[in-house]
Amino acid sequence: MGTEPGQEIDPISWLDHYGDTLYRFARARVKDSFTAEDLVQETLLAAYRSRKKFSGRSTLKTWLIGILRHKVVDYYRKLKPEQSEEDLDAYASGLDNLFDVKEKWLVKPGDWGGDPKNVYERKELMDAIHACLDDMPKRFSLAYTLRELQGVTTQELCEFLQTGKNNCWVILYRARMLLRRCLEVNWFNTEK
Amino acid sequence: MRHWIFSCKQITELISESMDRKLPIYRRIGIRIHLMMCYLCRRYKKQLLFLRTVLQAIEEADEKNGEVLSQEARRRIKNKLDQEKK
């Protein structure tokens, strides 16, 4: 410790050296810049308060990012939805209409085209994804966002949702089904 | 034998689950057999993988982009940290 720039125990120098890195990390995970700025601030404060815990085994940057990662999850936790399981079941029951009684596809998945590269550079697709996620019950969109955007493990996700593994998979399944259906209708327009 | 044969609906559940954990071998085989015969479930699988790829790519691009903390935010955070140090 103490030789590399920003390694000293001074939160102001952390801000100078890693502020932008932390900001970009946060910005990629939350929707608006104000929230991202707040998260950077909370991270630096928390880091300073627990500075004794920094062992020097990881780099300072890794340590700060680790704290930030937790702050992002906390942020999503506060958005935590209050919908009953029954409401969620009712909402998701519409998915059953995609299949016939023999559980074969009734509403056939469209061909979205082969190469995502052509599409994913478009900011609009991301906007469409966000719009679809905003439309579905929070518990689904939250689970999906944490898993696919935040990259949390399923175990962490189940703890976060405070539910058993099986239910966790059901929630993710429903979120994926709702998202792909929503995009199909609103973005890909593969309906005949 | 029954356990190797899944309906389209079951396959959509299994494919989703397979994105979160490694499935037991008989299920993986069941999926593979079903996918060989069913182009709709192949499309579905492709869609889910597409979404995962897209989201990861966008996130990586966002992290690499040149966004920086605004001067104003920097000042605000600095003030807060100064207070904390006292």
Side-chain angles (χ1 to χ4, degrees):
Chain A
M1 286 246 305
T3 46
E4 280 180 63
Q7 290 289 86
E8 59 271 38
I9 305 286
D10 174 14
I12 308 286
S13 90
W14 299 344
L15 174 64
D16 291 343
H17 284 98
Y18 303 112
D20 290 334
T21 309
L22 293 172
Y23 177 69
R24 278 195 286 273
F25 183 92
R27 194 68 189 78
R29 287 163 177 79
V30 297
K31 259 192 273 176
D32 66 290
S33 53
F34 299 110
T35 309
E37 289 167 3
D38 279 351
L39 289 170
V40 172
Q41 176 171 310
E42 281 179 40
T43 298
L44 291 171
L45 282 173
Y48 183 65
R49 284 172 194 152
S50 60
R51 58 191 178 276
K52 295 218 169 67
K53 284 191 215 146
F54 176 61
S55 62
R57 256 187 302 151
S58 58
T59 67
L60 189 56
K61 182 177 151 193
T62 313
W63 183 61
L64 291 172
I65 292 274
I67 296 172
L68 175 55
R69 196 181 282 282
H70 284 289
K71 292 285 170 198
V72 175
V73 174
D74 278 348
Y75 162 76
Y76 279 109
R77 177 170 295 155
K78 282 181 197 134
L79 296 177
K80 200 163 164 178
E82 300 305 333
Q83 282 136 320
S84 71
E85 291 293 326
E86 291 76 30
D87 288 351
L88 295 175
D89 283 347
Y91 190 91
S93 67
L95 291 173
D96 291 341
N97 300 332
L98 297 175
F99 301 95
D100 67 17
V101 285
K102 286 182 171 167
E103 302 196 340
K104 286 183 189 298
W105 287 101
L106 200 60
V107 183
K108 297 176 178 172
D111 183 359
W112 288 4
D115 186 8
K117 280 202 197 87
N118 295 328
V119 191
Y120 68 57
E121 280 164 8
R122 290 192 221 165
K123 183 95 176 58
E124 298 94 72
L125 174 60
M126 197 60 196
D127 291 342
I129 290 173
H130 275 305
C132 284
L133 289 170
D134 282 345
D135 266 355
M136 66 175 85
K138 275 269 166 60
R139 197 163 166 86
F140 296 143
S141 57
L142 194 56
Y144 188 83
T145 311
L146 286 173
R147 176 79 184 116
E148 300 290 349
L149 268 169
Q150 279 277 78
V152 306
T153 64
T154 22
Q155 196 180 340
E156 289 165 332
L157 181 65
C158 301
E159 282 166 23
F160 177 73
L161 296 172
Q162 297 177 334
T163 188
K165 278 220 164 107
N166 283 329
N167 194 33
C168 222
W169 283 312
V170 172
I171 292 169
L172 281 171
Y173 169 68
R174 286 173 168 177
R176 288 184 177 120
M177 290 293 274
L178 290 166
L179 178 60
R180 63 157 286 278
R181 184 67 195 132
C182 173
L183 286 172
E184 197 144 271
V185 173
N186 296 307
W187 174 258
F188 291 98
N189 281 315
T190 55
E191 304 283 285
K192 275 156 256 153
Chain B
M1 191 59 198
R2 260 195 105 227
H3 282 81
W4 303 70
I5 296 169
F6 299 104
S7 69
C8 291
K9 190 173 178 218
Q10 288 171 323
I11 288 292
T12 61
E13 290 164 7
L14 288 173
I15 285 175
S16 173
E17 198 178 325
S18 76
M19 294 173 78
D20 301 313
R21 69 162 187 144
K22 198 170 161 77
L23 296 176
I25 181 86
Y26 73 92
R27 292 195 162 175
R28 276 182 279 148
I29 292 171
I31 292 176
R32 197 178 286 190
I33 292 170
H34 185 105
L35 288 182
M36 276 196 288
M37 299 179 300
C38 178
Y39 79 103
L40 292 173
C41 285
R42 285 204 295 274
R43 271 188 189 169
Y44 165 85
K45 182 183 177 186
K46 210 166 151 191
Q47 291 180 352
L48 290 198
L49 294 176
F50 170 92
L51 288 173
R52 180 166 275 184
T53 316
V54 167
L55 288 173
Q56 278 165 5
I58 288 174
E59 194 183 341
E60 276 162 29
D62 275 359
E63 265 177 59
K64 286 201 193 87
N65 79 12
E67 275 197 86
V68 294
L69 273 174
S70 67
Q71 286 306 314
E72 196 265 321
R74 213 171 254 283
R75 213 172 307 123
R76 194 153 29 88
I77 296 172
K78 188 170 177 296
N79 286 339
K80 201 80 184 159
L81 294 172
D82 276 334
Q83 281 171 25
E84 183 71 23
K85 276 169 71 179
K86 276 170 200 159

